[in-house]
């Protein structure tokens, strides 16, 4: 029997992305796999069932789970769907491995081989599979647009019959994939952009995009491309020097996040109080507690005369391209292990083993095991 790839409709509130797109379905079929898909799974992402050639459609997510050897998802499916999966089958997507001990236990009890791509090793070979980076790029782009949309000022310089208007000044905190995309997008719109990151090696990247680097004298270079947590003394020094840049900007975009941990608080209430009337703050880390004191996830809050926006599930705002990126990430992860239409997992492969959450009734990832207490 050929390998069966199952595609679920997403059930998380507000989730519009899909784990495959038509071109990637053809690639799975080219490897000898069959694809089973829930009816209208792609509707929220603007894909019609007729866009997917030679795909078997079923009425329910449970039917997909029961038929599939490999189940693809954007976000972790609910317990009922995991419970319908075959023992020994594979679940692959953004599974939020640190979020739920109950879900991890269900995967263990169900003998499911679960691969959470948030756990992907930070090595060059894995870049084409890196969901966090691809979706971070979408989020950074969207945050710049959200800031421009809510700002009471033009982002670009504008010349009109009576004179000219100076461009808005945008400050971006965090220069990972999301932050760099926010910088690039704000620059394309025409804003003057400054940016800050605790990792000094990002200075060159920031300046290459035409932005000015805000130097606070604090370095927090960590492992795996992420920043380490700052000491209290470092936080105080950072806050003192950053406060001046925050006070001068018209729009502030914060993107600092560490996977599996609460977002670091970088912008204090005092900093917000010193911002210009009408300034806009977009806190990309709102879902994990926020970088800004006063952020409310999923809400727009006025603090004095400053608008603080806490958008959630930002990549889902642009589901067509976000789905295309996710689909390619998942395919690049799975395809090396599909041989002659069958799945052959290579546990010597560091990408596969490093991304494994559960397998054969065990929780395989040491970091997640420690975090969940399992």
């Amino acid at each position: 029997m050929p390998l069966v790839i199952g595609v679920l409709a997403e059930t998380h509130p507000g989730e519009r992305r899909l784990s495959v797109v038509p071109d990637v379905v053809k690639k799975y079929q080219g490897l000898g796999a069959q694809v089973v898909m829930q009816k209208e799974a792609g509707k929220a992402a603007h894909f019609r069932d007729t866009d997917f050639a030679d795909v078997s459609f079923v009425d329910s997510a449970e039917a997909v789970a029961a038929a599939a050897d490999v189940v693809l998802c954007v976000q972790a499916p609910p317990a009922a769907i995991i419970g319908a999966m075959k023992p020994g089958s594979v679940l692959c997507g953004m599974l939020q491995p640190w979020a739920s001990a109950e879900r991890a236990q269900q995967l263990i009890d169900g003998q499911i081989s679960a691969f959470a791509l948030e756990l992907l090793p930070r090595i060059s070979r894995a870049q084409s599979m890196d969901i966090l980076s691809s979706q971070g790029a979408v989020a950074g782009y969207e945050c710049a647009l959200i800031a421009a949309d809510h700002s009471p000022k033009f982002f670009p310089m504008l010349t009109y019959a009576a004179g000219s208007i100076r461009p808005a000044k945008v400050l971006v905190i965090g220069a990972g994939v999301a932050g760099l995309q926010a910088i690039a997008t704000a620059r394309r719109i025409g804003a003057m952009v400054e940016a800050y990151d605790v990792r000094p090696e990002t200075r060159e990247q920031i300046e290459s995009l035409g932005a000015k680097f805000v130097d606070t004298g604090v370095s927090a270079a960590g492992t795996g491309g992420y920043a380490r947590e700052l000491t209290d003394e470092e936080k105080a020094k950072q806050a003192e020097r950053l406060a001046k840049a925050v006070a001068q900007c018209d729009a502030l975009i914060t993107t600092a996040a560490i996977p599996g941990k609460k977002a670091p608080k970088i912008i204090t209430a005092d900093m917000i109080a010193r911002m210009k009337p009408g300034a806009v703050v977009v806190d990309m880390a709102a879902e994990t507690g926020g970088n800004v004191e006063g952020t409310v996830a999923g809400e727009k809050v006025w603090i004095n005369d400053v608008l603080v926006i806490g958008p959630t599930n930002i990549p889902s705002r642009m589901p067509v391209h976000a789905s295309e990126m996710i689909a390619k990430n998942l395919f690049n992860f799975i395809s090396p292990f599909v041989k002659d239409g069958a799945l052959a997992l290579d546990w010597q492969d560091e990408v596969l083993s490093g991304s494994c959450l559960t397998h054969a009734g065990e929780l395989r990832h040491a970091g997640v095991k420690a975090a969940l207490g399992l």
Side-chain angles (χ1 to χ4, degrees):
M1 291 289 291
L3 177 71
V4 178
I5 305 287
V7 180
L8 300 172
E10 297 296 318
T11 59
H12 191 275
E15 183 56 74
R16 300 168 62 200
R17 294 169 292 177
L18 185 65
S19 57
V20 297
V21 294
D23 287 347
V24 171
V25 164
K26 292 177 183 177
K27 291 182 178 181
Y28 284 120
Q29 292 167 338
L31 295 175
Q34 293 181 352
V35 178
V36 174
M37 193 168 177
Q38 189 176 347
K39 287 181 180 178
E40 296 191 338
K43 185 176 181 179
H46 308 295
F47 295 108
R48 299 163 296 188
D49 288 353
T50 53
D51 294 333
F52 297 92
D54 301 318
V55 168
S56 299
F57 286 95
V58 295
D59 291 326
S60 68
E62 288 83 358
V64 172
D69 302 304
V70 176
V71 175
L72 303 179
C73 60
V74 175
Q75 299 201 48
I81 308 307
I82 294 174
M85 292 179 64
K86 299 185 293 187
S89 60
V90 169
L91 177 65
C92 189
M94 292 188 290
L95 304 182
Q96 298 179 306
W98 303 278
S100 172
E102 291 78 11
R103 180 163 61 234
Q105 190 62 55
Q106 186 183 17
L107 293 167
I108 292 167
D109 294 341
Q111 299 282 314
I112 306 300
S113 295
F115 296 94
L117 293 203
E118 301 97 320
L119 303 176
L120 204 70
R122 306 292 290 184
I123 58 176
S124 58
R125 187 166 65 86
Q127 287 179 353
S128 68
M129 315 166 194
D130 192 349
I131 277 184
L132 291 180
S133 290
S134 71
Q135 300 307 290
V138 179
Y141 171 84
E142 284 287 341
C143 281
L145 298 184
I146 292 169
D149 183 42
H150 289 82
S151 176
K153 296 185 176 183
F154 287 113
F155 265 35
M157 182 177 73
L158 185 74
T159 300
Y160 69 118
S164 60
I165 295 174
R166 290 177 57 81
K169 181 177 284 188
V170 175
L171 175 62
V172 178
I173 305 295
V177 172
L180 292 172
Q181 187 59 246
I183 293 167
T185 304
R187 284 283 296 148
R188 290 188 192 106
I189 298 173
M192 294 188 296
V193 182
E194 294 184 341
Y196 169 70
D197 194 290
V198 289
R199 299 166 298 163
E201 65 270 22
T202 61
R203 180 175 196 145
E204 184 178 344
Q205 295 172 297
I206 288 168
E207 292 177 345
S208 72
L209 293 172
K212 179 183 176 182
F213 182 75
V214 177
D215 191 351
T216 64
V218 175
S219 172
T223 59
Y226 295 107
R228 64 173 174 82
E229 292 191 46
L230 299 177
T231 65
D232 290 341
E233 183 179 347
E234 287 172 328
K235 288 178 182 177
K237 184 178 179 180
Q238 176 198 55
E240 179 185 352
R241 300 196 180 181
L242 197 55
K244 183 178 179 181
V246 171
Q248 293 174 344
C249 73
D250 300 300
L252 172 64
I253 299 170
T254 65
T255 69
I258 304 171
K261 296 185 179 181
K262 190 177 178 66
K265 279 287 186 288
I266 298 172
I267 307 301
T268 65
D270 181 62
M271 292 181 188
I272 295 293
R274 293 167 61 185
M275 293 184 76
K276 300 175 184 178
V280 175
V281 178
V282 182
D283 190 343
M284 200 189 83
E287 284 180 286
T288 54
N291 299 140
V292 180
E293 194 173 344
T295 292
V296 179
E299 301 289 341
K300 299 175 184 178
V301 180
W302 285 97
I303 301 177
N304 298 322
D305 200 13
V306 175
L307 178 60
V308 179
I309 304 171
T312 56
N313 198 2
I314 303 167
S316 194
R317 293 166 57 100
M318 198 172 71
V320 174
H321 280 160
S323 297
E324 182 179 323
M325 296 163 88
I326 286 174
K328 290 179 179 178
N329 292 146
L330 287 169
F331 178 81
N332 290 337
F333 178 80
I334 294 167
S335 59
F337 309 109
V338 180
K339 312 291 183 184
D340 301 320
L343 190 66
L345 300 178
D346 178 6
W347 294 103
Q348 301 304 311
D349 187 291
E350 63 180 318
V351 172
L352 181 87
S353 59
S355 304
C356 183
L357 178 61
T358 62
H359 176 68
E362 296 179 353
L363 184 59
R364 290 293 186 94
H365 194 276
V368 175
K369 183 181 292 187
L372 297 180
L374 294 175

